[in-house]
């Protein structure tokens, strides 16, 4: 199984900050990577697929980059509604589909 | 509008069984593969099972293989997960999730149903 490792697991930031979350795959997955946002008590929401393609309706302050084993999710100007937990997911090879452990973005 | 609505969760004793359902609407259900993904309290996301559009291909996570059975009824636009021999570690919110047309990331999720395995 491909292991997905996210870093950091949590951090604090302020509104307006530029934040970057990293996801590393245990083997190359080309660009078969998605990012999700999850708020407490809610289902995950797709933000980005194919490593860098923004899902329809997602604000342009979200961006993704990377290929192979190293990926990043960047929020260019953090808004209050962006405080949430973010997950990466590889869909290059399965079973099993695998998710990263999550990164919780908290208010400083 | 695409909607996925799970039901069937609840409290069950260890060793017991439960059947989850996911009612789909707003899209041509029979054209899509479907998945179950779960999330233990305070934990991350874990993929559980996959079924192709025609039910010809089925996959399971190792953690549930031999205990859970995924199925679907395209005539009823419904997805199911039969869970047997339940363990405490199966306690989680269970989501049904629809993948995108040509790839296996999930563009639609249900609201989830909570399964609690406890005596």
């Amino acid at each position: 199984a491909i292991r997905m490792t996210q870093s950091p697991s949590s951090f604090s930031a302020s509104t307006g900050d530029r934040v970057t979350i990293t996801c590393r795959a245990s083997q190359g997955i080309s660009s078969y990577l998605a990012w999700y946002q999850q708020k407490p008590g809610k289902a995950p929401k797709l933000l980005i697929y194919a490593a860098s393609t923004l899902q329809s309706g997602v604000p342009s302050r979200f961006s993704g980059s990377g290929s192979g084993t190293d990926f990043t999710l960047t929020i260019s100007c953090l808004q209050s509604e962006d405080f949430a937990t973010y997950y990466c997911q590889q869909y290059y090879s399965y079973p099993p589909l695998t998710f990263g452990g999550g990164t919780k973005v908290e208010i400083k | 509008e695409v909607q996925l609505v799970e039901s069937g969760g609840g409290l069950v004793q260890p060793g017991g069984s439960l059947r989850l359902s996911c009612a789909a609407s707003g899209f041509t259900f029979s054209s899509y593969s479907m998945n179950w993904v779960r999330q233990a309290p305070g934990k991350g996301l874990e993929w559980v099972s996959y079924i192709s559009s025609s039910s010809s291909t089925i996959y399971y996570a190792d953690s549930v293989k031999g205990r859970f059975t995924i199925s679907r009824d395209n005539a009823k636009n419904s997805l199911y997960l039969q869970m047997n021999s339940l363990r405490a570690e199966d306690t989680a919110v269970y989501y049904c999730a629809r993948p995108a047309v040509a790839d296996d990331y999930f563009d639609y999720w249900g609201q989830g149903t909570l399964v609690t395995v406890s005596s």
Side-chain angles (χ1 to χ4, degrees):
Chain A
I2 298 175
R3 180 177 176 85
M4 307 300 293
T5 303
Q6 285 183 237
S7 60
S9 56
S10 67
F11 66 95
S12 299
S14 301
T15 304
D17 285 352
R18 178 183 179 89
V19 301
T20 298
I21 297 168
T22 297
C23 178
R24 175 165 288 176
S26 61
Q27 64 186 75
I29 60 170
S30 185
S31 296
Y32 292 93
L33 186 101
W35 288 98
Y36 301 89
Q37 176 193 66
Q38 187 180 35
K39 296 181 179 180
K42 301 294 187 183
K45 173 188 173 184
L46 176 66
L47 297 176
I48 286 169
Y49 60 93
S52 61
T53 303
L54 206 62
Q55 172 70 348
S56 176
V58 174
S60 59
R61 62 181 179 272
F62 291 92
S63 64
S65 65
S67 67
T69 59
D70 294 316
F71 303 86
T72 59
L73 172 70
T74 299
I75 310 172
S76 60
C77 182
L78 201 63
Q79 302 298 301
S80 58
E81 60 266 33
D82 301 335
F83 291 98
T85 300
Y86 294 85
Y87 294 94
C88 61
Q89 176 226 329
Q90 68 81 19
Y91 52 99
Y92 174 80
S93 170
Y94 87 115
L97 284 173
T98 46
F99 293 87
T103 296
K104 186 175 184 179
V105 180
E106 299 175 295
I107 301 173
K108 184 181 289 184
Chain B
E1 178 193 6
V2 172
Q3 283 200 315
L4 299 169
V5 180
E6 301 94 337
S7 60
L11 175 64
V12 61
Q13 292 188 338
S17 298
L18 213 53
R19 189 195 197 207
L20 305 184
S21 299
C22 172
S25 61
F27 66 102
T28 305
F29 181 71
S30 59
S31 296
Y32 287 81
S33 63
M34 292 294 293
N35 292 257
W36 288 97
V37 177
R38 70 183 180 182
Q39 186 170 36
K43 302 298 184 183
L45 300 168
E46 179 189 17
W47 170 79
V48 173
S49 186
Y50 161 98
I51 186 168
S52 64
S53 58
S54 64
S55 304
S56 60
T57 301
I58 286 174
Y59 300 131
Y60 297 100
D62 286 346
S63 58
V64 307
K65 201 174 295 183
R67 300 186 299 120
F68 289 12
T69 302
I70 192 172
S71 63
R72 64 190 296 161
D73 185 335
N74 287 342
K76 295 183 177 179
N77 290 339
S78 293
L79 175 71
Y80 306 102
L81 187 68
Q82 176 67 44
M83 303 185 296
N84 298 331
S85 302
L86 283 160
R87 307 166 180 166
E89 53 266 35
D90 296 317
T91 294
V93 174
Y94 285 74
Y95 296 100
C96 63
R98 192 197 83 167
V101 173
D103 261 319
D104 294 305
Y105 56 88
F106 304 119
D107 55 359
Y108 287 97
W109 298 67
Q111 86 288 351
T113 187
L114 176 63
V115 173
T116 302
V117 184
S118 175
S119 55

